[in-house]
Coordinates of all heavy atoms in Angstrom, one line a residue:
G1 N 110.7 -105.9 -3.6 CA 111.3 -107.2 -4.0 C 110.3 -108.3 -4.0 O 109.1 -108.1 -3.8
V2 N 110.8 -109.5 -4.2 CA 109.9 -110.7 -4.2 C 109.1 -110.9 -2.9 O 108.0 -111.2 -3.0 CB 110.8 -111.9 -4.6 CG1 109.9 -113.2 -4.6 CG2 111.4 -111.8 -5.9
R3 N 109.8 -110.6 -1.8 CA 109.2 -111.0 -0.5 C 108.6 -109.7 0.2 O 108.2 -109.9 1.4 CB 110.2 -111.7 0.3 CG 110.6 -113.1 -0.3 CD 111.5 -113.8 0.7 NE 111.9 -115.1 0.1 CZ 112.8 -115.9 0.6 NH1 113.4 -115.5 1.8 NH2 113.1 -117.0 0.1
S4 N 108.7 -108.6 -0.4 CA 108.3 -107.4 0.3 C 107.7 -106.4 -0.7 O 108.0 -106.4 -1.8 CB 109.4 -106.7 1.2 OG 110.5 -106.4 0.3
L5 N 106.9 -105.4 -0.1 CA 106.3 -104.5 -1.0 C 106.0 -103.2 -0.3 O 105.5 -103.2 0.9 CB 105.0 -105.0 -1.5 CG 104.0 -104.1 -2.2 CD1 104.6 -103.7 -3.6 CD2 102.6 -104.7 -2.4
T6 N 106.3 -102.0 -0.9 CA 105.8 -100.8 -0.4 C 105.0 -100.2 -1.5 O 105.5 -100.1 -2.6 CB 107.0 -99.8 0.0 OG1 107.7 -100.4 1.1 CG2 106.4 -98.5 0.4
T7 N 103.8 -99.8 -1.2 CA 102.9 -99.2 -2.3 C 102.3 -97.9 -1.7 O 101.9 -97.8 -0.6 CB 101.9 -100.2 -2.7 OG1 101.2 -99.6 -3.8 CG2 100.9 -100.5 -1.6
T8 N 102.2 -96.9 -2.6 CA 101.5 -95.7 -2.2 C 100.0 -95.8 -2.7 O 99.8 -96.2 -3.8 CB 102.2 -94.4 -2.9 OG1 102.3 -94.7 -4.3 CG2 103.5 -94.2 -2.3
L9 N 99.1 -95.3 -1.8 CA 97.7 -95.5 -2.0 C 97.0 -94.1 -2.0 O 97.0 -93.4 -1.0 CB 97.1 -96.4 -1.0 CG 97.7 -97.8 -0.9 CD1 97.3 -98.5 0.4 CD2 97.3 -98.6 -2.1
A10 N 96.5 -93.7 -3.2 CA 95.9 -92.4 -3.3 C 94.4 -92.5 -3.0 O 93.8 -93.6 -3.0 CB 96.1 -91.9 -4.7
P11 N 93.7 -91.4 -2.8 CA 92.3 -91.4 -2.5 C 91.5 -91.9 -3.7 O 92.0 -92.0 -4.8 CB 91.9 -89.9 -2.3 CG 93.2 -89.3 -1.9 CD 94.3 -90.0 -2.6
R12 N 90.2 -92.3 -3.5 CA 89.4 -92.9 -4.6 C 89.2 -91.9 -5.7 O 89.1 -90.7 -5.5 CB 88.0 -93.2 -4.0 CG 87.9 -93.9 -2.7 CD 86.5 -93.9 -2.3 NE 86.3 -94.4 -0.9 CZ 86.3 -93.6 0.2 NH1 86.5 -92.3 0.0 NH2 86.1 -94.1 1.4
Q13 N 89.2 -92.4 -6.9 CA 88.9 -91.6 -8.1 C 87.5 -91.9 -8.5 O 87.1 -93.0 -8.8 CB 89.8 -92.0 -9.2 CG 89.7 -91.2 -10.5 CD 90.3 -89.8 -10.3 OE1 91.4 -89.6 -9.8 NE2 89.6 -88.8 -10.8
T14 N 86.7 -90.8 -8.5 CA 85.3 -91.0 -8.9 C 85.0 -90.1 -10.2 O 85.9 -89.4 -10.7 CB 84.3 -90.5 -7.8 OG1 84.5 -89.1 -7.7 CG2 84.6 -91.2 -6.5
E15 N 83.8 -90.2 -10.7 CA 83.5 -89.4 -11.9 C 83.6 -87.9 -11.6 O 83.8 -87.1 -12.5 CB 82.0 -89.8 -12.4 CG 81.9 -91.2 -12.9 CD 80.5 -91.5 -13.4 OE1 79.7 -90.5 -13.3 OE2 80.3 -92.6 -13.9
E16 N 83.4 -87.5 -10.4 CA 83.4 -86.1 -10.0 C 84.9 -85.7 -9.7 O 85.1 -84.5 -9.5 CB 82.6 -85.9 -8.8 CG 81.1 -86.0 -9.0 CD 80.6 -87.4 -9.1 OE1 81.3 -88.3 -8.5 OE2 79.6 -87.7 -9.8
G17 N 85.8 -86.7 -9.6 CA 87.2 -86.3 -9.3 C 87.6 -87.1 -8.1 O 87.0 -88.2 -7.7
L18 N 88.7 -86.7 -7.4 CA 89.2 -87.4 -6.2 C 88.2 -87.2 -5.1 O 87.7 -86.1 -4.8 CB 90.6 -86.8 -5.8 CG 91.7 -87.2 -6.7 CD1 93.0 -86.5 -6.2 CD2 92.0 -88.7 -6.8
S19 N 88.0 -88.3 -4.3 CA 87.2 -88.3 -3.1 C 88.1 -88.3 -1.9 O 88.7 -89.4 -1.6 CB 86.3 -89.5 -3.1 OG 85.5 -89.5 -1.9
W20 N 88.3 -87.2 -1.3 CA 89.3 -87.1 -0.2 C 88.8 -87.9 1.0 O 87.7 -88.1 1.2 CB 89.4 -85.6 0.3 CG 89.9 -84.6 -0.7 CD1 89.2 -83.5 -1.2 CD2 91.2 -84.7 -1.4 NE1 90.0 -82.9 -2.1 CE2 91.2 -83.6 -2.3 CE3 92.3 -85.5 -1.4 CZ2 92.3 -83.3 -3.1 CZ3 93.4 -85.3 -2.2 CH2 93.4 -84.1 -3.0
Y21 N 89.8 -88.4 1.7 CA 89.5 -89.2 2.9 C 88.8 -88.3 3.9 O 89.2 -87.2 4.2 CB 90.8 -89.8 3.5 CG 91.6 -90.7 2.6 CD1 93.0 -90.6 2.5 CD2 91.0 -91.7 1.9 CE1 93.7 -91.4 1.7 CE2 91.7 -92.5 1.1 CZ 93.1 -92.4 1.0 OH 93.8 -93.3 0.2
K22 N 87.8 -88.9 4.5 CA 87.0 -88.1 5.5 C 87.6 -88.1 6.9 O 87.2 -87.3 7.7 CB 85.5 -88.7 5.5 CG 84.8 -88.6 4.2 CD 83.5 -89.3 4.2 CE 82.9 -89.4 2.8 NZ 81.6 -90.2 2.9
G23 N 88.4 -89.1 7.2 CA 89.1 -89.2 8.5 C 90.0 -90.4 8.4 O 90.2 -91.1 7.4
T24 N 90.7 -90.6 9.5 CA 91.7 -91.6 9.6 C 91.1 -93.0 9.3 O 91.7 -93.8 8.6 CB 92.4 -91.6 10.9 OG1 91.5 -91.7 12.0 CG2 93.3 -90.4 11.1
A25 N 89.9 -93.3 9.9 CA 89.3 -94.6 9.7 C 88.8 -94.7 8.2 O 88.9 -95.8 7.6 CB 88.2 -94.8 10.7
D26 N 88.3 -93.6 7.7 CA 87.8 -93.7 6.3 C 89.0 -93.9 5.3 O 88.8 -94.6 4.3 CB 87.2 -92.4 5.9 CG 86.6 -92.4 4.5 OD1 85.7 -93.2 4.2 OD2 87.1 -91.6 3.7
A27 N 90.2 -93.4 5.7 CA 91.3 -93.7 4.8 C 91.6 -95.2 4.7 O 92.0 -95.7 3.6 CB 92.6 -92.9 5.3
I28 N 91.5 -95.9 5.8 CA 91.8 -97.3 5.8 C 90.6 -98.0 5.2 O 90.8 -99.0 4.3 CB 91.9 -97.9 7.3 CG1 93.1 -97.1 8.0 CG2 92.2 -99.4 7.2 CD1 94.4 -97.3 7.3
Y29 N 89.4 -97.6 5.4 CA 88.2 -98.2 4.8 C 88.3 -98.1 3.3 O 87.9 -99.0 2.6 CB 86.9 -97.5 5.3 CG 85.7 -97.9 4.6 CD1 85.1 -99.1 4.8 CD2 85.1 -97.0 3.7 CE1 83.9 -99.5 4.1 CE2 83.9 -97.3 3.0 CZ 83.4 -98.6 3.2 OH 82.2 -98.9 2.5
A30 N 88.7 -97.0 2.8 CA 88.8 -96.7 1.3 C 89.8 -97.7 0.7 O 89.7 -97.9 -0.5 CB 89.2 -95.3 1.1
N31 N 90.7 -98.3 1.5 CA 91.7 -99.2 0.9 C 91.5 -100.6 1.5 O 92.4 -101.4 1.5 CB 93.1 -98.7 1.3 CG 93.4 -97.4 0.6 OD1 93.8 -97.5 -0.6 ND2 93.4 -96.3 1.3
I32 N 90.2 -100.9 1.8 CA 89.9 -102.3 2.3 C 90.1 -103.4 1.3 O 90.5 -104.5 1.7 CB 88.5 -102.3 2.9 CG1 88.4 -103.4 4.0 CG2 87.4 -102.4 1.8 CD1 87.1 -103.2 4.8
D33 N 90.0 -103.0 0.0 CA 90.3 -104.1 -1.0 C 91.7 -104.4 -1.0 O 92.1 -105.6 -1.2 CB 89.9 -103.5 -2.4 CG 88.3 -103.4 -2.6 OD1 87.6 -104.0 -1.7 OD2 87.9 -102.8 -3.5
F34 N 92.6 -103.5 -0.8 CA 94.0 -103.7 -0.7 C 94.3 -104.7 0.4 O 95.1 -105.6 0.3 CB 94.8 -102.4 -0.6 CG 96.3 -102.6 -0.2 CD1 97.2 -102.9 -1.2 CD2 96.7 -102.4 1.1 CE1 98.5 -103.1 -0.9 CE2 98.0 -102.5 1.4 CZ 99.0 -102.9 0.4
L35 N 93.7 -104.4 1.6 CA 93.9 -105.2 2.8 C 93.3 -106.6 2.5 O 93.9 -107.6 2.9 CB 93.3 -104.6 4.0 CG 94.1 -103.4 4.6 CD1 93.2 -102.7 5.7 CD2 95.4 -103.8 5.1
D36 N 92.2 -106.7 1.9 CA 91.6 -108.0 1.6 C 92.5 -108.9 0.8 O 92.6 -110.1 0.9 CB 90.2 -107.9 1.0 CG 89.1 -107.4 1.9 OD1 89.4 -107.6 3.2 OD2 88.1 -107.0 1.5

């Protein structure tokens, strides 16, 4: 809704394909733009 949001965040897409998360911290790091 207007005041809330749930979004699903998939791994990075590169020219070689999906780049799987390397660990729990990397999963958050890969979505740092979303947090910013």
Side-chain angles (χ1 to χ4, degrees):
V2 176
R3 297 181 180 177
S4 60
L5 167 71
T6 297
T7 185
T8 52
L9 302 166
R12 315 173 188 89
Q13 184 75 44
T14 68
E15 292 181 359
E16 291 76 26
L18 288 177
S19 177
W20 298 120
Y21 299 137
K22 300 172 185 175
T24 54
D26 181 63
I28 303 298
Y29 170 74
N31 291 283
I32 205 165
D33 289 345
F34 170 77
L35 287 172
D36 284 345

